[in-house]
Structure formats: structure tokens, C-alpha cells
Amino acid sequence: MSTARRAALAAAGALAARAGLAATGPLAASPAGARWRRTNYARRPVTLLGGPVLAAAATGSAVLGAPAGYRAAAAVVGTVTGLVGGYDDVAGARPEQARDKGLAGHLAALREGRVSAGAVKVAGIGAAAAVAAVLTRRGNGVSSLVDGVLTTGLVAGTANLLNLLDLRPGRAAKVSVLLAAATAGGPAGGLAAGPLGAALGVLPDDLGERVMLGDCGANAVGALLGLRLAAAPGRGGRAAVLAVVTALTLASEKVSFTRVIDSTPGLRELDRLGRRPA
């Protein structure tokens, strides 16, 4: 794919995001938008409607730029992860879901005979990732099975990791921009070019604490970028990336990403770049 084509896809993603934010502005301020309103870490009011906007802009532009054989997979992972993430954003905020956080919370809910919104999200993301693996399978036999496991893990794992980073304004969007920019080259680079533009499009409002990405936006863009990683040619490289994603996810159970970032020069400054003082 030419540089001009990738630039056009990025521009399309950014324009779609900006148009979506403008269109949802009246909804965010209306009574109908109340279910999407939250108070962020600094106790400022924000709306989660930035998430559906990012999910739609990233998915549409990723499908446009996806190479043959990946368009259907991009549509599935972007749409499904966005929908189940949005469901968790809304349903997971209900008072009865307050204790259903993390793997332990979801399992406790199941023992009580309830299915938490987070469990629905996890199942939906896993199913979407598995479908993507089937739609993009390579070869036959054991090698095809290994590739399927790698694709499933990268799509689901990256979706979850981006969501884990959505704890401060602009953090998940910045990581999305950096990851998309790093993977926008090559034959499958069109998968990342549109999401790159879409993340840049929502970043000013995210940093300005007018919107949050929420599970809907972070999961969707993460899943699409995970699909881009899964499209890389080298199986060893894909396995190494999945190992890193898995290690970071496991580390998040024990270590605060925010604490690590705040104590690491370079990461701290990048994380705070453009953000309002707390």
C-alpha cells in the first residue's frame, strides 16, 4: 500500500472521529446521554460517548484499508468488541455490578448465579477473536492451529491491554497512536492507518477531559491493532509480541501501571503531555 493511500486512510479516520464527536455533543448534554456520563480520576465530568465514536471511526477505516482476506475479520473484531465494550460501560455501572470487577469479581458473580457485564464482554471479545482467527487462517494442520491461537491471543489480548491503560486522559489513545504508527507500514499496514487517524481525532477531547474512551473505544481500537499484529508474516515475531502482551496483562494484576509510569522518566512526561493538571 502506498504512503499516499495510508495517509488518506488516516485522514478518513480522523475526519470520521471529529465528525462523530461533533454529532454526539448534543446527545452527551441531553438527558438521554446521562447513562454515558462519568466522573474521571480528577473528579471532572466526562462522557463515555468518545468510545463509540472511536470504535466506529477506527473500524470503518480499518475495513477500508484491510488487505484481502482481512476485511471481514476487521469488521467483526471492531464491531463486536465495540458493542460488548459499550454494554459493559453502561450495564457495568449499575449498582448491582459494583463488586463484579476483575476476574475474581466475574467468577464470584457466576458462583452467585449471575452473569456480570464484564463476563459478557470477555466472552464477546474472545468469540470475536476466534472468528477472526478462522477468517484469516493460513495453511492447514498444526501450523494453521498455531496461527489461529496466535491471532486469537493477539486480538483479545491487545483489546484487553489497551483497556487496562485507559486510566488517565489520553493514555490509551496515545498508546494506540504509537502502536498504529509503528505498524502502519507493510502490506497489512492499512489495517492500522485508519485507527491511527481515528485515535488522533479523539485525542484532543480525551486529553481535554471532555470524553473518555471507556471499554467500547479502548477494546475496539485495541482489537483492531491486535489484528494488525496478527497479520505480521513471522510466526516467531507474533509469538514474541503475544508473550509481551500476556506478561503485561498478568503484571497488571499485581502492579499499578499508573505508579510505574509516574516513577519512570520519559514515560511520565509522555503520559502527562497535553493533559490538564489534576
Side-chain angles (χ1 to χ4, degrees), residues 12 16 60 139 154:
L154 284 168

Side-chain angles (χ1 to χ4, degrees), residues 51-231:
V53 167
L54 176 60
T59 301
S61 55
V63 171
L64 286 175
Y70 280 83
R71 291 183 189 122
V76 168
V77 300
T79 301
V80 173
T81 56
L83 286 173
V84 296
Y87 173 75
D88 192 25
D89 281 333
V90 175
R94 295 170 183 166
E96 66 270 20
Q97 300 269 342
R99 295 181 290 111
D100 303 338
K101 303 300 180 184
L103 180 60
H106 303 326
L107 292 175
L110 288 174
R111 286 194 296 269
E112 296 172 5
R114 296 183 296 106
V115 178
S116 67
V120 171
K121 185 188 73 169
V122 169
I125 291 174
V131 170
V134 172
L135 291 172
T136 60
R137 65 181 180 274
R138 315 174 189 186
N140 298 293
V142 175
S143 64
S144 177
L145 178 61
V146 171
D147 284 335
V149 170
L150 290 174
T151 296
T152 302
L154 284 168
V155 171
T158 310
N160 182 60
L161 184 59
L162 260 292
N163 190 42
L164 292 173
L165 291 169
D166 190 34
L167 295 176
R168 290 294 184 272
R171 181 180 295 171
K174 287 176 184 175
V175 172
S176 298
V177 168
L178 293 173
L179 179 56
T183 58
L191 270 169
L196 167 61
L200 284 171
V202 301
L203 183 57
D205 285 63
D206 191 4
L207 286 170
E209 300 183 41
R210 294 180 289 277
V211 305
M212 281 181 64
L213 304 188
D215 290 9
C216 180
N219 282 150
V221 74
L224 290 165
L225 294 176
L227 183 64
R228 169 62 186 98
L229 293 170

